[in-house]
Amino acid sequence: MDAKSADVVVVGGGPAGATVARLLALQGRRVTLIDACNRRLDRLEVLSPSSLPVLETLGLTELLSDAVVARPCAGSRRRNGRSGQLDRLQFDARLRDLATQAGTLFEIGRVRTVERIQGGFGIVVDRKTHTSTIEASLVVDASGRPSFLARRLGATKLVSEKLAAERCLLDPGYEPSKAPVWLDFEDCENGWIYGIHGPDGRQERWRVRRDAVRGMGPWVNASSSRLSRAAGNGWIAVGDAALAFDPIASQGLPNAFSTALVATGAIVSPLGLVEETVAFYTQAIIATFLNSE
């Protein structure tokens, strides 16, 4: 068993986890970011216009000008507006690089358990060759929809609508392009379908449905859900771990960035994660979720 320590341990290396790790490292905190690296999102995703203010605050808008990462989107067929269609594999990798450059220690491993110890938490991490324990005064759950840490620390996952999404068409494409494209929606039985284009010329077609069950083919959880409480004594959840939306809202990435920004503010504030800030953050998460629904 290897014993290590950090001021903050972030579990999950997606956009929310990488962003909160970078922000806390820039504030001088000793941050360890743990990610299993056994699943990298190779799908395309829409970044809605509502996310631009928070991207500007985080200094990330230049990523949208990178032709490898993003392609301009003229809007959806039902609603106009400037937005972007992203290659998540490239986008997430850039965010992790920024976190590392800020001073975050990135470690590959799968969190087995988290336990309260004197002065904080003990996080047991399984690696390829051994198991180690990291002690931290604070933990951030950025594990995505499973909400791995939060549920083990007393929070409950509340599902509003069970949905699943499956990629029903993948055309790898041949010609990278920076030309704007549309995001197309159409209704189908028990759900809806959307088409999306990537900067590498790839085209994807996804079906979101209410009747999907395990064993019917490759699909991902797309349910709308939130935690009963999004923070507690020494812990806070960000991104999909705190609340997750139906894909039609195009709020996944804006939610990742905004919760990372607010959570960082709560952690580094003079009060820290006390009862008052924990309650405020949870109420903000609930209000955001209800507004979206």
Side-chain angles (χ1 to χ4, degrees):
M1 300 286 284
D2 297 331
K4 299 183 179 180
S5 64
D7 295 329
V8 183
V9 165
V10 180
V11 178
T19 300
V20 75
R22 176 172 72 94
L23 294 176
L24 289 170
L26 289 172
Q27 291 292 321
R29 304 298 174 96
R30 294 182 303 127
V31 182
T32 297
L33 176 62
I34 303 172
D35 192 88
C37 290
N38 58 359
R39 183 177 66 91
R40 287 283 179 253
L41 295 182
D42 65 347
R43 66 174 183 251
L44 303 174
E45 189 161 340
V46 174
L47 189 62
S48 66
S50 64
S51 65
L52 295 181
V54 72
L55 281 175
E56 292 174 358
T57 301
L58 294 170
L60 297 175
T61 50
E62 64 182 40
L63 288 181
L64 300 183
S65 302
D66 190 329
V68 175
V69 174
R71 183 175 185 176
C73 178
S76 75
R77 296 292 179 175
R78 299 177 182 176
R79 181 178 181 183
N80 293 328
R82 294 292 295 173
S83 55
Q85 299 192 11
L86 303 176
D87 183 330
R88 281 293 304 275
L89 192 66
Q90 298 291 339
F91 189 66
D92 290 6
R94 299 294 175 86
L95 293 177
R96 285 190 294 272
D97 287 343
L98 290 173
T100 302
Q101 292 167 20
T104 296
L105 177 63
F106 181 72
E107 297 202 7
I108 298 175
R110 183 182 64 84
V111 175
R112 183 199 298 175
T113 60
V114 55
E115 297 179 353
R116 290 193 180 274
I117 59 175
Q118 185 175 3
F121 299 89
I123 302 97
V124 179
V125 183
D126 289 333
R127 308 173 191 276
K128 283 187 177 181
T129 59
H130 64 288
T131 297
S132 65
T133 297
I134 302 176
E135 296 183 359
S137 56
L138 188 147
V139 293
V140 177
D141 188 346
S143 63
R145 290 176 184 270
S147 304
F148 179 86
L149 291 183
R151 290 189 296 110
R152 282 157 179 78
L153 293 172
T156 303
K157 176 74 75 172
L158 304 175
V159 178
S160 175
E161 184 179 22
K162 291 185 177 180
L163 298 170
E166 61 177 333
R167 187 160 53 188
C168 49
L169 173 66
L170 173 62
D171 182 351
Y174 299 99
E175 295 295 331
S177 175
K178 297 176 66 175
V181 289
W182 288 93
L183 177 66
D184 293 318
F185 295 89
E186 61 182 279
D187 295 328
C188 67
E189 185 178 1
N190 293 320
W192 53 280
I193 294 174
Y194 70 95
I196 189 170
H197 302 71
D200 58 358
R202 182 178 12 151
Q203 299 181 44
E204 292 183 354
R205 187 174 172 86
W206 287 79
R207 180 177 180 180
V208 180
R209 51 196 300 172
R210 301 180 181 88
D211 59 349
V213 295
R214 291 189 183 277
M216 68 179 301
W219 59 274
V220 295
N221 185 2
S223 302
S224 54
S225 62
R226 67 170 177 86
L227 291 175
S228 58
R229 53 193 180 104
N233 182 19
W235 68 271
I236 193 165
V238 295
D240 284 351
L243 71 165
F245 303 99
D246 180 331
I248 201 169
S250 296
Q251 290 299 302
L253 286 171
N255 174 56
F257 294 129
S258 59
T259 53
L261 189 61
V262 176
T264 300
I267 292 169
V268 303
S269 69
L271 292 176
L273 291 183
V274 297
E275 184 176 351
E276 181 182 352
T277 52
V278 163
F280 178 86
Y281 183 76
T282 293
Q283 288 304 312
I285 291 294
I286 294 173
T288 300
F289 182 79
L290 293 177
N291 180 68
S292 176
E293 289 291 280

